[in-house]
């Protein structure tokens, strides 16, 4: 099936630990995105990438890092510098790049909690 | 970052009723999208709008791109239990990133 796969579904982090969330897509989409969702709130953009080996900060990039070494993969690392990491993390992808207005399609999310 | 004003924040309705929700922005958008999110899952695209005044349907769902390009609404007719969830609008200004509304939580009493 074509789609966006996020793993794991649930993730627990200890204080001071870095964790990496996986996002893979087989839709041949150029652009990929990471969002954070807190209870009762909308989605806030962490990082996005419009093409392989390139990415830009979103609205809340502090404490996070990403890489885009392959078109189909866009992993997100939540570093120990992120003091409030408990949230639902959503990965998305879309066709095209630049000014393309193609809609974004989402994975099923990873819920990160602090132990 | 910029956010859209989505209303209402929540709705409690009886099964079979029609539903209406809307989003407004201070900026002019060239794209409006409507998504539905079930608990513990990612948002699913319902309708995409690309032209001012455009009216698009998807089954019992109808959405319109406001003529001023600063607003959009979503209507659901004859609601059923599986319509329960959170509905998000999202808009794009030019080549900028998508901006999301804060969601409308829909609850249906059978």
């Amino acid at each position: 099936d074509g789609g966006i796969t996020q793993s794991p579904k649930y993730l627990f982090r200890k204080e001071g630990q870095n964790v990496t969330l996986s996002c893979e897509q087989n839709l041949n989409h150029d652009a990929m995105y990471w969002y954070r969702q807190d209870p009762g709130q909308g989605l806030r953009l962490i990082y996005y990438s419009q093409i392989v080996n390139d990415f830009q900060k979103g609205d809340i990039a502090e404490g996070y890092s990403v890489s885009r070494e392959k078109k189909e993969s866009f992993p997100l690392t939540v570093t120990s510098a992120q003091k409030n990491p408990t949230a639902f993390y959503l990965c998305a992808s879309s066709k095209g790049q630049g000014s393309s207005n193609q809609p974004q399609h989402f994975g099923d999310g990873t819920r990160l909690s602090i132990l | 970052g910029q956010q859209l004003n989505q209303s209402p924040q929540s709705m409690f309705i009886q099964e079979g009723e029609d539903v209406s929700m809307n989003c407004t922005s201070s900026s002019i958008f060239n794209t409006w999208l409507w998504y539905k999110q079930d608990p513990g899952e990612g948002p699913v695209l319902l309708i995409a709008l690309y032209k001012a005044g455009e009216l698009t349907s998807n089954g019992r769902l109808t959405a319109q791109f406001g003529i001023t390009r600063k607003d959009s609404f979503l209507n659901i007719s004859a609601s059923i239990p599986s319509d329960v969830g959170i509905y998000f609008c999202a808009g794009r200004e030019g080549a900028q990133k998508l901006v999301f509304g804060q969601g409308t939580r829909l609850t249906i009493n059978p």
Side-chain angles (χ1 to χ4, degrees), chain A residues 46-70:
Chain A
I46 305 172
Y47 267 99
Y48 65 105
S49 167
Q50 294 180 324
I51 196 168
V52 175
N53 292 322
D54 186 48
F55 50 83
Q56 288 82 42
K57 292 182 179 180
D59 299 318
I60 54 166
E62 186 174 351
Y64 300 98
S65 66
V66 293
S67 62
R68 187 84 187 278
E69 297 176 1
K70 298 187 295 183

Side-chain angles (χ1 to χ4, degrees), chain A residues 3-97:
Chain A
I4 302 169
T5 301
Q6 289 188 240
S7 62
K9 183 73 172 173
Y10 300 94
L11 187 58
F12 299 91
R13 194 191 91 168
K14 294 180 181 177
E15 295 283 348
Q17 189 179 48
N18 293 353
V19 290
T20 297
L21 284 61
S22 169
C23 179
E24 304 277 330
Q25 55 97 0
N26 60 4
L27 301 167
N28 199 33
H29 285 174
D30 289 302
M32 297 186 74
Y33 312 81
W34 274 105
Y35 292 90
R36 171 181 172 136
Q37 186 176 31
D38 292 287
Q41 297 190 29
L43 281 63
R44 293 185 289 168
L45 183 64
I46 305 172
Y47 267 99
Y48 65 105
S49 167
Q50 294 180 324
I51 196 168
V52 175
N53 292 322
D54 186 48
F55 50 83
Q56 288 82 42
K57 292 182 179 180
D59 299 318
I60 54 166
E62 186 174 351
Y64 300 98
S65 66
V66 293
S67 62
R68 187 84 187 278
E69 297 176 1
K70 298 187 295 183
K71 186 175 185 178
E72 58 270 23
S73 179
F74 191 40
L76 173 74
T77 296
V78 184
T79 75
S80 57
Q82 172 49 245
K83 297 307 178 188
N84 184 23
T86 297
F88 192 49
Y89 290 87
L90 288 160
C91 177
S93 70
S94 65
K95 268 190 191 177
Q97 45 182 289

Side-chain angles (χ1 to χ4, degrees), chain A residues 9 37 45 48 101 103-104 107, chain B residues 31 35 37 40 42 50 88 97:
Chain A
K9 183 73 172 173
Q37 186 176 31
L45 183 64
Y48 65 105
N101 62 0
Q104 295 177 18
Chain B
T31 302
Y35 291 87
Q37 185 178 28
Y50 299 108
F88 289 99
K97 306 176 291 291

